[in-house]
Amino acid sequence: MLVDEATVRRIARLARIKITDEEAHSLEGELSGILNWVEQLNEVDTSGVEPMTRVVPIALKQREDVVDDGEIADDVTGNAPVREDHFFVVPKVVE
């Protein structure tokens, strides 16, 4: 796929990148090379390949989903400037 100078300038404008005329000409070749490489990847047959997140299948450790307050409410609110019944007290911002 060939990228022309107008496309390079549009991409630069969308990316908020200021480029000179020389940079635009050199970027034409670079972007065309990148897109050609991506087209080569599309030629690879991946019909028998299962999607994966890692090479070695690993089952993640899971813990029981239990609601727990941790029984450390006093420690959590201990450094608060103002607290009341294990809650942070903040100034009212909406009237």
Side-chain angles (χ1 to χ4, degrees):
M1 178 176 193
L2 292 175
V3 178
D4 61 347
E5 185 178 348
T7 305
V8 170
R9 293 201 177 277
R10 182 166 188 259
I11 292 169
R13 184 179 55 82
L14 291 172
R16 307 287 194 259
I17 299 172
K18 186 176 182 178
I19 58 172
T20 64
D21 292 336
E22 297 167 1
E23 292 172 330
H25 290 296
S26 67
L27 286 173
E28 283 181 48
E30 287 184 38
L31 290 175
S32 295
I34 291 169
L35 293 176
N36 288 336
W37 183 75
V38 171
E39 285 179 5
Q40 286 179 3
L41 290 176
N42 287 332
E43 295 171 5
V44 176
D45 180 26
T46 59
S47 59
V49 179
E50 210 176 303
M52 60 183 186
T53 57
R54 59 180 60 87
V55 178
V56 180
I58 299 174
L60 296 175
K61 296 179 184 177
Q62 295 184 353
R63 61 178 170 82
E64 220 177 296
D65 190 14
V66 179
V67 176
D68 184 16
D69 67 353
E71 300 178 7
I72 56 170
D74 287 330
D75 295 338
V76 171
T77 59
N79 290 331
V82 181
R83 63 183 174 158
E84 183 177 308
D85 294 330
H86 306 299
F87 294 103
F88 296 98
V89 178
V90 296
K92 185 176 181 180
V93 293
V94 179
E95 300 208 19

